[in-house]
Amino acid sequence: MEQWRFVSIGTGSKIKVEALQAIVGPTIEVLPCADANSRVRPQPVGESETTTGAINRAMDAKAKFPDADAWIGIENGWWSFANAEEALPEDGSVSGELRVVPGTESAVECVNCDAAAIVVILRESPDAHTVTWSPILPIPVDKLDWERGPNEEWSILKDPHSVLTNGTHPRQWYLQEGLKAALLGGQSS
């Protein structure tokens, strides 16, 4: 990464662009590809659909900025702890697992989780990609009665991560931790 001049990210999302810039530093230019399309549902469900969305975003960034040193795709998705390919109903018909949400002190019942797939394609191996995941955010059963987003996102809130973690872990933290793992080979807290 020391030799990189610029990297493209398949999104126009300010929070994702800022998360990437924070990880690559000020000497590497981040080129947003705002017209990148995930070609999956607006709220992907399951690891496979979420990964596909991230791959498509990275490929769109690669097509738009073919001279970049790397191309990044990030896609947020959600699924159940019991089955990584579906989200389970939050109507009480399925028992959840006790999970500690960062920023809270006690375990709460959770059925589903949220995480971002981060896909990296490097110039030196343009036909291959790696997939890394951000830390997961357990979603407490009692919080999923929030109003859904306009595209059926699990929350209308722009940063439910911050709300669920009492402000200790905003969405950008989750993205940066995943990007650290993808680009620097490890996560730090």
Side-chain angles (χ1 to χ4, degrees), residues 11 23 35 40 57 66 94 134 155-157 161 164-165 170 174 186:
T11 186
I23 299 307
D35 56 349
V40 297
R57 289 180 177 282
V94 177
S134 71
S155 171
I156 195 168
L157 301 174
H161 306 69
L164 290 175
T165 65
Y174 283 88

Side-chain angles (χ1 to χ4, degrees), residues 78-125:
W78 73 314
W79 55 88
S80 75
F81 286 109
N83 182 338
E85 294 308 323
E86 66 183 13
L88 296 176
E90 298 289 344
D91 60 5
S93 63
V94 177
S95 295
E97 299 179 18
L98 290 179
R99 298 281 179 140
V100 176
V101 178
T104 66
E105 295 182 18
S106 58
V108 293
E109 185 179 8
C110 300
V111 173
N112 294 320
C113 66
D114 172 277
I118 298 162
V119 169
V120 177
I121 302 171
L122 300 174
R123 172 180 289 292
E124 53 267 17
S125 49

